[in-house]
Amino acid sequence: MNDPSKLERFECAPGLRLQSHERISQIHHENLLSRLERLEAVIERLERRLWLTVYGVVAVILAQAVQSLLVVTP
């Protein structure tokens, strides 16, 4: 009745619950990291577009300034 081999194979429910909770936490953490990496990539692309827009607006303003100078001076 007190066979040690049977006791060694026994896994308690709280231990299994703890292992499953740790695994689920690890999966959630990995998913959050992948989402964060994708979000950073999207933000970088948005930043590039924003700077391109700013440079475009500045170029248009400078072109209008040069054009108005050329009209004023013969």
Side-chain angles (χ1 to χ4, degrees), residues 7-68:
L7 294 176
E8 290 175 7
R9 286 185 282 153
F10 178 74
E11 295 182 3
C12 64
L16 292 175
R17 290 170 71 193
L18 180 61
Q19 287 176 350
S20 64
H21 179 69
E22 289 174 350
R23 179 67 182 139
I24 290 173
S25 296
Q26 181 184 10
I27 291 171
H28 282 300
H29 184 69
E30 291 170 358
N31 286 338
L32 284 173
L33 288 178
S34 67
R35 287 180 186 175
L36 181 62
E37 290 173 358
R38 286 184 288 175
L39 186 61
E40 287 176 350
V42 168
I43 289 173
E44 285 180 14
R45 288 196 306 259
L46 182 62
E47 185 179 9
R48 275 189 239 135
R49 289 179 184 172
L50 178 65
W51 280 114
L52 185 62
T53 303
V54 168
Y55 289 142
V57 169
V58 169
V60 167
I61 291 171
L62 288 177
Q64 287 179 350
V66 168
Q67 186 179 17
S68 66

